[in-house]
Coordinates of all heavy atoms in Angstrom, one line a residue:
M1 N -0.5 10.4 -9.6 CA 0.4 11.5 -9.2 C 1.1 11.0 -7.8 O 0.4 10.7 -6.9 CB -0.3 12.8 -9.1 CG 0.4 14.0 -8.4 SD -0.3 15.5 -8.4 CE -1.9 15.2 -7.7
R2 N 2.4 11.2 -7.8 CA 3.1 10.7 -6.6 C 3.1 11.9 -5.7 O 3.3 13.0 -5.9 CB 4.5 10.4 -7.0 CG 5.3 9.8 -5.8 CD 6.6 9.3 -6.2 NE 6.4 8.1 -7.0 CZ 7.3 7.3 -7.5 NH1 8.5 7.5 -7.1 NH2 6.9 6.3 -8.2
I3 N 2.7 11.6 -4.4 CA 2.5 12.7 -3.4 C 3.8 12.8 -2.6 O 4.4 13.8 -2.3 CB 1.3 12.5 -2.5 CG1 0.0 12.4 -3.3 CG2 1.2 13.5 -1.3 CD1 -0.3 13.6 -4.0
S4 N 4.3 11.6 -2.1 CA 5.5 11.6 -1.2 C 6.1 10.2 -1.3 O 5.6 9.3 -1.6 CB 5.2 12.0 0.2 OG 4.4 10.9 0.8
E5 N 7.5 10.2 -1.0 CA 8.2 9.1 -0.8 C 9.0 9.3 0.5 O 9.6 10.3 0.8 CB 9.3 8.9 -1.9 CG 8.8 8.7 -3.2 CD 9.9 8.7 -4.3 OE1 11.0 9.1 -3.9 OE2 9.5 8.5 -5.5
E6 N 9.1 8.3 1.3 CA 9.8 8.3 2.6 C 10.5 7.0 2.9 O 9.9 5.9 2.7 CB 8.7 8.7 3.7 CG 9.4 9.2 5.0 CD 8.3 9.6 5.9 OE1 7.2 9.5 5.7 OE2 8.7 10.3 7.0
L7 N 11.7 7.1 3.2 CA 12.5 5.9 3.6 C 12.5 5.8 5.2 O 13.0 6.7 5.8 CB 13.9 6.0 3.0 CG 14.9 4.8 3.1 CD1 14.2 3.6 2.4 CD2 16.2 5.1 2.6
L8 N 11.9 4.6 5.6 CA 11.8 4.5 7.1 C 12.2 3.2 7.5 O 12.2 2.2 6.8 CB 10.4 4.7 7.4 CG 9.7 6.1 7.2 CD1 8.3 6.0 7.6 CD2 10.3 7.1 8.1
L9 N 12.6 3.0 8.8 CA 12.8 1.7 9.4 C 11.4 1.0 9.5 O 10.4 1.6 9.7 CB 13.3 1.8 10.8 CG 14.8 2.2 10.8 CD1 15.2 2.4 12.3 CD2 15.7 1.2 10.2
W10 N 11.4 -0.3 9.3 CA 10.1 -1.0 9.3 C 9.4 -0.9 10.8 O 8.2 -0.7 10.7 CB 10.5 -2.6 9.2 CG 9.3 -3.4 9.4 CD1 9.1 -4.4 10.4 CD2 8.0 -3.3 8.8 NE1 7.9 -4.9 10.4 CE2 7.1 -4.4 9.3 CE3 7.5 -2.6 7.7 CZ2 5.8 -4.5 8.9 CZ3 6.2 -2.9 7.3 CH2 5.4 -3.8 7.9
E11 N 10.2 -0.8 11.8 CA 9.6 -0.6 13.1 C 8.8 0.7 13.1 O 7.7 0.8 13.9 CB 10.5 -0.7 14.3 CG 11.6 0.3 14.3 CD 12.6 0.1 15.4 OE1 12.3 -0.7 16.4 OE2 13.6 0.8 15.3
N12 N 9.2 1.7 12.4 CA 8.5 3.0 12.4 C 7.3 2.9 11.4 O 6.3 3.5 11.7 CB 9.4 4.2 12.0 CG 10.5 4.4 13.0 OD1 10.4 4.0 14.2 ND2 11.6 4.8 12.5
V13 N 7.5 2.1 10.3 CA 6.4 2.0 9.3 C 5.2 1.3 10.0 O 4.1 1.7 9.8 CB 6.9 1.2 8.1 CG1 5.7 1.0 7.2 CG2 7.9 2.0 7.4
K14 N 5.5 0.2 10.6 CA 4.3 -0.6 11.1 C 3.5 0.0 12.1 O 2.3 -0.3 12.3 CB 4.8 -2.0 11.5 CG 5.6 -2.0 12.8 CD 6.1 -3.4 13.1 CE 6.9 -3.3 14.5 NZ 7.2 -4.7 14.8
H15 N 4.0 1.0 12.8 CA 3.1 1.7 13.8 C 2.5 2.9 13.3 O 1.6 3.4 13.9 CB 4.1 2.2 15.0 CG 4.7 1.0 15.7 ND1 3.9 0.0 16.4 CD2 6.0 0.6 15.8 CE1 4.7 -0.9 16.9 NE2 5.9 -0.6 16.6
S16 N 2.8 3.4 12.1 CA 2.4 4.7 11.5 C 1.7 4.6 10.3 O 0.8 5.5 9.9 CB 3.5 5.8 11.6 OG 4.4 5.3 10.5
S17 N 1.8 3.6 9.5 CA 1.3 3.8 8.0 C -0.1 3.3 7.9 O -0.8 3.7 7.1 CB 2.2 2.8 7.1 OG 2.0 1.5 7.4
G18 N -0.6 2.4 8.8 CA -1.9 1.8 8.6 C -2.1 0.7 7.5 O -3.1 0.2 7.4
V19 N -1.0 0.5 6.9 CA -1.0 -0.6 5.9 C -0.8 -2.0 6.5 O 0.0 -2.1 7.3 CB 0.1 -0.4 4.8 CG1 0.2 -1.5 3.8 CG2 -0.1 1.0 4.3
R20 N -1.7 -2.9 6.2 CA -1.6 -4.2 6.7 C -0.7 -5.0 5.9 O -0.8 -5.1 4.6 CB -3.1 -4.9 6.7 CG -3.9 -4.3 7.8 CD -5.2 -5.0 7.7 NE -6.2 -4.1 7.2 CZ -7.4 -4.3 7.2 NH1 -7.8 -5.5 7.3 NH2 -8.2 -3.3 6.7
V21 N 0.2 -5.7 6.6 CA 1.2 -6.6 5.8 C 1.2 -7.9 6.5 O 1.2 -8.1 7.8 CB 2.7 -5.9 6.0 CG1 3.7 -6.9 5.4 CG2 2.7 -4.5 5.5
N22 N 1.2 -9.0 5.6 CA 1.1 -10.4 6.2 C 2.3 -10.9 6.6 O 2.3 -11.9 7.4 CB 0.4 -11.3 5.1 CG -1.1 -10.8 4.8 OD1 -1.7 -10.4 5.7 ND2 -1.5 -11.1 3.7
D23 N 3.4 -10.4 6.1 CA 4.8 -11.0 6.4 C 5.3 -10.5 7.8 O 5.7 -9.4 7.9 CB 5.7 -10.6 5.3 CG 7.1 -11.4 5.5 OD1 7.3 -12.0 6.6 OD2 7.9 -11.2 4.5
L24 N 5.2 -11.5 8.7 CA 5.7 -11.1 10.1 C 7.2 -11.2 10.3 O 7.6 -11.1 11.4 CB 4.9 -11.8 11.1 CG 3.4 -11.7 11.1 CD1 2.7 -12.5 12.0 CD2 3.0 -10.2 11.3
T25 N 7.9 -11.7 9.3 CA 9.3 -11.9 9.5 C 10.2 -10.8 9.1 O 11.4 -10.9 8.9 CB 9.7 -13.2 8.5 OG1 9.5 -12.8 7.2 CG2 8.9 -14.3 8.9
I26 N 9.7 -9.6 8.8 CA 10.4 -8.4 8.4 C 11.2 -8.0 9.7 O 10.6 -7.8 10.7 CB 9.5 -7.3 7.9 CG1 8.7 -7.8 6.7 CG2 10.3 -6.1 7.5 CD1 7.5 -6.9 6.2
H27 N 12.4 -7.8 9.5 CA 13.3 -7.3 10.7 C 13.0 -5.8 11.0 O 12.7 -5.1 10.0 CB 14.8 -7.4 10.3 CG 15.7 -7.2 11.4 ND1 16.1 -6.0 11.9 CD2 16.3 -8.1 12.2 CE1 16.9 -6.1 12.9 NE2 17.0 -7.3 13.1
P28 N 12.9 -5.5 12.2 CA 12.5 -4.1 12.7 C 13.4 -3.1 12.1 O 13.0 -2.0 11.9 CB 12.6 -4.2 14.2 CG 12.7 -5.6 14.6 CD 13.2 -6.4 13.4
E29 N 14.6 -3.4 11.8 CA 15.6 -2.4 11.2 C 15.7 -2.5 9.7 O 16.6 -1.8 9.2 CB 17.0 -2.6 11.9 CG 17.0 -2.3 13.4 CD 18.3 -2.4 13.9 OE1 19.3 -2.5 13.3 OE2 18.3 -2.4 15.2
R30 N 14.8 -3.1 9.1 CA 14.7 -3.2 7.6 C 14.3 -1.9 7.0 O 13.4 -1.3 7.6 CB 13.8 -4.3 7.1 CG 13.9 -4.5 5.7 CD 15.1 -5.3 5.3 NE 15.1 -5.9 4.0 CZ 15.9 -6.7 3.6 NH1 16.9 -7.1 4.3 NH2 15.8 -7.2 2.4
M31 N 15.0 -1.3 6.0 CA 14.6 -0.1 5.5 C 13.5 -0.3 4.4 O 13.5 -1.1 3.5 CB 15.8 0.6 4.7 CG 16.9 1.0 5.7 SD 16.4 2.1 7.1 CE 15.9 3.6 6.2
I32 N 12.5 0.5 4.5 CA 11.2 0.4 3.7 C 10.8 1.7 3.0 O 10.8 2.8 3.8 CB 10.1 0.0 4.6 CG1 10.3 -1.3 5.3 CG2 8.7 -0.2 3.8 CD1 10.5 -2.5 4.5
W33 N 10.5 1.7 1.8 CA 10.0 2.8 1.0 C 8.4 3.0 1.2 O 7.8 2.0 1.0 CB 10.4 2.8 -0.5 CG 11.7 3.2 -0.9 CD1 12.7 2.4 -1.3 CD2 12.2 4.6 -0.9 NE1 13.8 3.1 -1.6 CE2 13.6 4.4 -1.3 CE3 11.8 5.8 -0.4 CZ2 14.4 5.6 -1.4 CZ3 12.6 6.8 -0.5 CH2 13.8 6.8 -0.9
V34 N 8.0 4.1 1.7 CA 6.6 4.3 1.9 C 6.2 5.3 0.8 O 6.8 6.5 0.8 CB 6.2 4.9 3.3 CG1 4.7 5.1 3.4 CG2 6.7 3.9 4.4
V35 N 5.5 4.9 -0.2 CA 5.2 5.8 -1.4 C 3.7 6.1 -1.4 O 2.9 5.2 -1.3 CB 5.6 5.0 -2.7 CG1 5.3 6.0 -3.9 CG2 7.1 4.6 -2.6
K36 N 3.4 7.4 -1.3 CA 2.0 7.8 -1.4 C 1.7 8.4 -2.6 O 2.4 9.2 -3.2 CB 1.7 8.7 -0.3 CG 1.9 8.0 1.2 CD 1.6 9.0 2.3 CE 1.7 8.2 3.6 NZ 1.2 8.9 4.7
T37 N 0.5 8.0 -3.2 CA 0.1 8.5 -4.6 C -1.4 8.8 -4.5 O -2.1 8.4 -3.6 CB 0.3 7.5 -5.7 OG1 -0.4 6.3 -5.4 CG2 1.8 7.2 -5.9
K38 N -1.9 9.6 -5.4 CA -3.2 10.0 -5.6 C -3.5 9.9 -7.0 O -2.8 10.2 -7.9 CB -3.4 11.5 -5.1 CG -4.9 11.9 -5.0 CD -5.0 13.2 -4.2 CE -6.4 13.5 -3.8 NZ -7.0 12.5 -2.9
S39 N -4.8 9.4 -7.2 CA -5.2 9.2 -8.6 C -6.7 9.4 -8.8 O -7.5 9.0 -7.9 CB -5.0 7.7 -9.0 OG -5.4 7.4 -10.3
P40 N -7.1 10.1 -9.8 CA -8.5 10.3 -10.0 C -9.3 9.0 -10.2 O -10.5 8.9 -9.7 CB -8.7 11.2 -11.2 CG -7.3 11.2 -11.9 CD -6.4 10.7 -10.9
I41 N -8.7 8.0 -10.8 CA -9.3 6.7 -10.9 C -8.2 5.6 -10.8 O -7.2 5.7 -11.5 CB -9.9 6.5 -12.4 CG1 -11.1 7.5 -12.6 CG2 -10.4 5.0 -12.6 CD1 -11.8 7.4 -13.9
Y42 N -8.6 4.6 -9.9 CA -7.6 3.5 -9.7 C -8.4 2.3 -9.9 O -9.4 2.0 -9.4 CB -7.1 3.6 -8.3 CG -6.1 2.6 -7.9 CD1 -4.7 2.9 -8.1 CD2 -6.4 1.4 -7.4 CE1 -3.7 2.0 -7.7 CE2 -5.4 0.5 -7.0 CZ -4.0 0.8 -7.2 OH -3.1 -0.1 -6.9
L43 N -7.9 1.4 -10.8 CA -8.5 0.2 -11.3 C -8.0 -1.0 -10.4 O -6.9 -1.2 -10.2 CB -8.3 -0.1 -12.7 CG -8.8 1.0 -13.8 CD1 -8.3 0.5 -15.2 CD2 -10.2 1.3 -13.6
T44 N -9.1 -1.7 -9.9 CA -8.8 -3.0 -9.1 C -9.5 -4.2 -9.8 O -10.3 -3.9 -10.8 CB -9.2 -2.9 -7.7 OG1 -10.7 -3.0 -7.7 CG2 -8.8 -1.6 -7.1
R45 N -9.2 -5.4 -9.3 CA -10.0 -6.5 -10.0 C -11.5 -6.4 -9.6 O -12.2 -7.1 -10.2 CB -9.3 -7.8 -9.5 CG -9.7 -8.1 -8.0 CD -9.2 -9.5 -7.6 NE -7.8 -9.3 -7.2 CZ -7.1 -10.3 -6.7 NH1 -7.6 -11.5 -6.5 NH2 -5.8 -10.2 -6.3
Y46 N -11.9 -5.6 -8.6 CA -13.3 -5.5 -8.3 C -14.0 -4.2 -8.9 O -15.2 -4.1 -8.7 CB -13.5 -5.4 -6.7 CG -12.7 -6.6 -6.0 CD1 -11.7 -6.4 -5.3 CD2 -13.2 -7.9 -6.2 CE1 -11.0 -7.4 -4.7 CE2 -12.6 -8.9 -5.7 CZ -11.5 -8.7 -4.9 OH -10.8 -9.9 -4.3
G47 N -13.3 -3.6 -9.6 CA -13.8 -2.3 -10.2 C -12.9 -1.1 -9.9 O -11.8 -1.2 -9.5
S48 N -13.4 0.0 -10.3 CA -12.7 1.3 -10.1 C -12.9 1.9 -8.8 O -14.0 1.7 -8.3 CB -12.9 2.3 -11.3 OG -14.3 2.7 -11.2
V49 N -11.9 2.7 -8.4 CA -12.1 3.6 -7.2 C -11.8 4.9 -7.6 O -10.8 5.2 -8.3 CB -11.1 3.2 -6.1 CG1 -11.1 4.1 -4.9 CG2 -11.4 1.7 -5.6
T50 N -12.6 5.9 -7.3 CA -12.4 7.3 -7.7 C -11.8 8.1 -6.6 O -12.0 7.7 -5.4 CB -13.7 8.0 -8.2 OG1 -14.6 8.0 -7.2 CG2 -14.2 7.3 -9.4
D51 N -11.1 9.1 -6.9 CA -10.4 10.0 -5.8 C -9.6 9.0 -4.9 O -9.7 9.1 -3.7 CB -11.4 10.9 -5.0 CG -12.1 11.8 -5.9 OD1 -11.5 12.3 -6.9 OD2 -13.3 12.0 -5.6
A52 N -8.8 8.2 -5.5 CA -8.0 7.2 -4.7 C -6.7 7.8 -4.1 O -5.9 8.4 -4.8 CB -7.7 6.0 -5.7
D53 N -6.5 7.4 -2.9 CA -5.2 7.6 -2.2 C -4.7 6.2 -1.9 O -5.3 5.4 -1.4 CB -5.5 8.3 -0.9 CG -6.0 9.7 -1.0 OD1 -5.3 10.5 -1.8 OD2 -7.0 10.1 -0.3
V54 N -3.4 6.0 -2.4 CA -2.8 4.7 -2.3 C -1.4 4.9 -1.6 O -0.6 5.8 -1.9 CB -2.5 4.1 -3.7 CG1 -1.9 2.7 -3.6 CG2 -3.8 4.1 -4.6
T55 N -1.2 4.1 -0.6 CA 0.1 4.0 0.2 C 0.6 2.6 0.0 O 0.0 1.6 0.3 CB 0.0 4.2 1.7 OG1 -0.7 5.5 1.9 CG2 1.3 4.2 2.4
Q56 N 1.9 2.6 -0.7 CA 2.5 1.3 -1.0 C 3.8 1.2 -0.1 O 4.4 2.2 0.1 CB 2.9 1.3 -2.4 CG 1.7 1.4 -3.4 CD 2.2 1.4 -4.8 OE1 3.3 1.3 -5.1 NE2 1.2 1.6 -5.7
L57 N 4.1 -0.1 0.2 CA 5.3 -0.4 1.0 C 6.2 -1.2 0.2 O 5.8 -2.3 -0.4 CB 5.0 -1.1 2.3 CG 4.0 -0.4 3.3 CD1 3.8 -1.2 4.5 CD2 4.6 0.9 3.6
W58 N 7.5 -0.8 0.0 CA 8.4 -1.5 -0.8 C 9.8 -1.6 0.0 O 10.2 -0.7 0.6 CB 8.8 -0.7 -2.1 CG 7.7 -0.5 -3.1 CD1 6.7 0.5 -2.9 CD2 7.3 -1.4 -4.1 NE1 5.8 0.4 -4.0 CE2 6.1 -0.8 -4.7 CE3 7.7 -2.5 -4.6 CZ2 5.5 -1.3 -5.7 CZ3 7.2 -3.1 -5.6 CH2 6.1 -2.6 -6.3
D59 N 10.3 -2.9 -0.1 CA 11.7 -3.1 0.5 C 12.7 -2.3 -0.2 O 12.8 -2.4 -1.4 CB 12.0 -4.6 0.5 CG 13.2 -5.0 1.3 OD1 14.3 -4.4 0.9 OD2 13.1 -5.8 2.1
A60 N 13.4 -1.5 0.6 CA 14.4 -0.6 -0.1 C 15.6 -1.4 -0.6 O 16.4 -0.9 -1.5 CB 14.9 0.4 1.0
E61 N 16.0 -2.6 -0.1 CA 17.2 -3.3 -0.5 C 16.9 -4.2 -1.7 O 17.7 -4.2 -2.7 CB 17.6 -4.2 0.7 CG 18.9 -5.0 0.4 CD 19.4 -5.8 1.5 OE1 19.1 -5.3 2.7 OE2 20.0 -6.8 1.4
N62 N 15.7 -4.9 -1.7 CA 15.6 -5.9 -2.8 C 14.3 -5.6 -3.6 O 14.0 -6.3 -4.6 CB 15.5 -7.3 -2.3 CG 14.3 -7.6 -1.4 OD1 13.3 -6.7 -1.3 ND2 14.3 -8.6 -0.5
G63 N 13.5 -4.6 -3.4 CA 12.4 -4.1 -4.1 C 11.2 -5.0 -4.0 O 10.2 -4.8 -4.7
E64 N 11.2 -5.8 -3.0 CA 10.0 -6.7 -2.7 C 8.8 -5.7 -2.3 O 8.9 -4.8 -1.5 CB 10.3 -7.7 -1.6 CG 9.2 -8.7 -1.4 CD 9.5 -9.7 -0.3 OE1 10.7 -9.8 -0.1 OE2 8.6 -10.4 0.1
F65 N 7.6 -6.1 -2.8 CA 6.4 -5.3 -2.5 C 5.8 -6.0 -1.3 O 5.5 -7.2 -1.2 CB 5.4 -5.4 -3.6 CG 4.2 -4.7 -3.5 CD1 4.1 -3.3 -3.3 CD2 3.0 -5.4 -3.4 CE1 2.9 -2.7 -3.2 CE2 1.8 -4.7 -3.2 CZ 1.8 -3.3 -3.1
Y66 N 5.5 -5.1 -0.2 CA 5.0 -5.7 1.0 C 3.5 -5.5 1.2 O 2.9 -6.2 2.0 CB 5.7 -5.1 2.3 CG 7.0 -5.6 2.5 CD1 8.1 -4.8 2.7 CD2 7.4 -7.0 2.4 CE1 9.4 -5.3 2.9 CE2 8.6 -7.5 2.6 CZ 9.7 -6.7 2.9 OH 10.9 -7.1 3.1
G67 N 2.9 -4.5 0.6 CA 1.5 -4.3 0.7 C 1.1 -2.9 0.4 O 2.0 -2.0 0.1
Y68 N -0.2 -2.6 0.4 CA -0.7 -1.3 0.1 C -2.0 -1.1 0.8 O -2.7 -2.0 1.3 CB -0.9 -1.1 -1.4 CG -2.1 -1.7 -1.9 CD1 -3.2 -1.1 -2.3 CD2 -2.0 -3.0 -2.4 CE1 -4.3 -1.7 -2.8 CE2 -3.1 -3.8 -2.9 CZ -4.2 -3.0 -3.1 OH -5.3 -3.7 -3.7
E69 N -2.3 0.2 0.9 CA -3.6 0.7 1.5 C -4.3 1.5 0.4 O -3.6 2.4 -0.1 CB -3.5 1.4 2.8 CG -4.8 1.9 3.3 CD -4.6 2.8 4.5 OE1 -3.6 3.5 4.7 OE2 -5.5 2.7 5.4
L70 N -5.6 1.3 0.2 CA -6.3 2.0 -0.8 C -7.6 2.6 -0.2 O -8.2 1.8 0.4 CB -6.7 1.0 -2.0 CG -7.6 1.6 -3.1 CD1 -7.0 2.8 -3.8 CD2 -8.1 0.5 -4.0
S71 N -7.7 3.9 -0.4 CA -9.0 4.5 0.1 C -9.5 5.5 -1.0 O -8.7 6.0 -1.8 CB -8.7 5.3 1.4 OG -7.8 6.4 1.1
G72 N -10.7 5.6 -1.0 CA -11.5 6.4 -2.0 C -12.9 6.0 -2.1 O -13.4 5.3 -1.3
K73 N -13.6 6.5 -3.3 CA -15.0 6.2 -3.5 C -15.1 5.1 -4.5 O -14.5 5.2 -5.5 CB -15.7 7.5 -4.0 CG -15.6 8.5 -3.0 CD -16.2 9.8 -3.6 CE -15.9 11.0 -2.8 NZ -16.0 12.3 -3.6
P74 N -15.9 4.0 -4.2 CA -16.2 3.0 -5.2 C -16.8 3.6 -6.4 O -17.7 4.3 -6.2 CB -17.1 2.0 -4.5 CG -16.9 2.2 -3.0 CD -16.5 3.7 -3.0
G75 N -16.3 3.1 -7.6 CA -16.9 3.6 -8.8 C -18.2 2.9 -9.0 O -18.6 1.9 -8.3
I76 N -19.0 3.3 -10.2 CA -20.3 2.7 -10.4 C -20.1 1.3 -10.8 O -21.1 0.5 -10.8 CB -21.1 3.6 -11.4 CG1 -20.2 3.6 -12.8 CG2 -21.3 4.9 -11.0 CD1 -20.9 4.2 -13.9
D77 N -18.9 0.9 -11.3 CA -18.7 -0.5 -11.7 C -18.2 -1.5 -10.5 O -17.9 -2.6 -10.8 CB -17.7 -0.6 -12.8 CG -16.3 0.0 -12.4 OD1 -16.3 0.7 -11.5 OD2 -15.3 -0.3 -13.1
W78 N -18.2 -0.9 -9.3 CA -17.6 -1.7 -8.3 C -18.5 -2.9 -7.9 O -19.7 -2.8 -7.9 CB -17.5 -0.9 -6.9 CG -16.9 -1.5 -5.8 CD1 -17.5 -2.1 -4.8 CD2 -15.5 -1.7 -5.6 NE1 -16.6 -2.6 -3.9 CE2 -15.3 -2.4 -4.4 CE3 -14.4 -1.3 -6.3 CZ2 -14.1 -2.7 -3.9 CZ3 -13.1 -1.6 -5.8 CH2 -13.0 -2.3 -4.6
R79 N -17.9 -4.1 -7.6 CA -18.6 -5.2 -7.1 C -17.8 -5.8 -5.9 O -16.6 -5.7 -5.9 CB -18.7 -6.3 -8.3 CG -17.4 -6.8 -8.8 CD -17.7 -7.8 -9.9 NE -16.4 -8.0 -10.5 CZ -15.5 -8.9 -10.1 NH1 -15.7 -9.5 -9.0 NH2 -14.4 -9.1 -10.7
S80 N -18.5 -6.3 -5.0 CA -17.9 -6.8 -3.8 C -17.2 -8.2 -4.1 O -17.6 -8.9 -5.1 CB -19.1 -7.2 -2.8 OG -18.5 -8.0 -1.7
P81 N -16.1 -8.4 -3.5 CA -15.4 -9.6 -3.7 C -16.2 -11.0 -3.3 O -15.9 -12.0 -3.8 CB -14.2 -9.6 -2.7 CG -14.1 -8.3 -2.1 CD -15.5 -7.6 -2.5
V82 N -17.3 -10.8 -2.5 CA -18.1 -11.9 -2.3 C -19.3 -12.1 -3.2 O -19.9 -13.1 -3.2 CB -18.6 -11.8 -0.8 CG1 -17.5 -11.7 0.2 CG2 -19.4 -10.5 -0.6
D83 N -19.5 -11.2 -4.1 CA -20.5 -11.4 -5.1 C -20.0 -12.4 -6.1 O -18.8 -12.5 -6.4 CB -20.8 -10.1 -5.9 CG -21.5 -9.0 -5.0 OD1 -22.0 -9.4 -4.0 OD2 -21.5 -7.8 -5.5
K84 N -21.0 -13.2 -6.6 CA -20.6 -14.2 -7.7 C -21.2 -13.8 -9.0 O -22.2 -13.2 -9.1 CB -21.1 -15.6 -7.2 CG -20.4 -15.8 -5.8 CD -20.0 -17.3 -5.9 CE -19.2 -17.6 -4.6 NZ -18.4 -18.5 -4.5

């Protein structure tokens, strides 16, 4: 379920969203979509997350995905990325 969408300048996003982005070449005046969603179950490569809150960052001009933040409770199938 989509909670909110907000179009912001990158310089405002990087100080307020809490989402870690590896690309340091984003211009401060680049327009970014900040999309917040909520899901009862969110699947990842490490297992499921229940009661998940997801914040995603998308470039408003070219649609490039910049990153996301996921919070919630690990499901019973959750395994650590360091487990083999």
Side-chain angles (χ1 to χ4, degrees):
M1 171 173 49
R2 189 169 294 186
I3 303 298
S4 68
E5 299 173 351
E6 196 171 11
L7 187 60
L8 298 171
L9 289 173
W10 171 244
E11 65 183 345
N12 296 334
V13 172
K14 68 180 179 180
H15 297 298
S16 65
S17 73
V19 178
R20 285 182 251 178
V21 177
N22 295 329
D23 187 350
L24 301 176
T25 62
I26 303 170
H27 191 278
E29 294 182 10
R30 188 72 167 193
M31 296 304 292
I32 306 293
W33 279 110
V34 179
V35 180
K36 296 184 179 190
T37 58
K38 187 165 192 67
S39 178
I41 297 176
Y42 187 88
L43 301 177
T44 74
R45 71 174 87 174
Y46 305 113
S48 63
V49 175
T50 59
D51 298 324
D53 292 309
V54 183
T55 301
Q56 300 176 3
L57 303 180
W58 297 89
D59 187 301
E61 184 177 329
N62 63 17
E64 185 176 349
F65 179 67
Y66 285 135
Y68 74 100
E69 177 185 36
L70 171 64
S71 63
K73 301 173 194 163
I76 58 171
D77 61 342
W78 185 264
R79 60 182 170 77
S80 169
V82 295
D83 290 345
K84 299 226 179 199

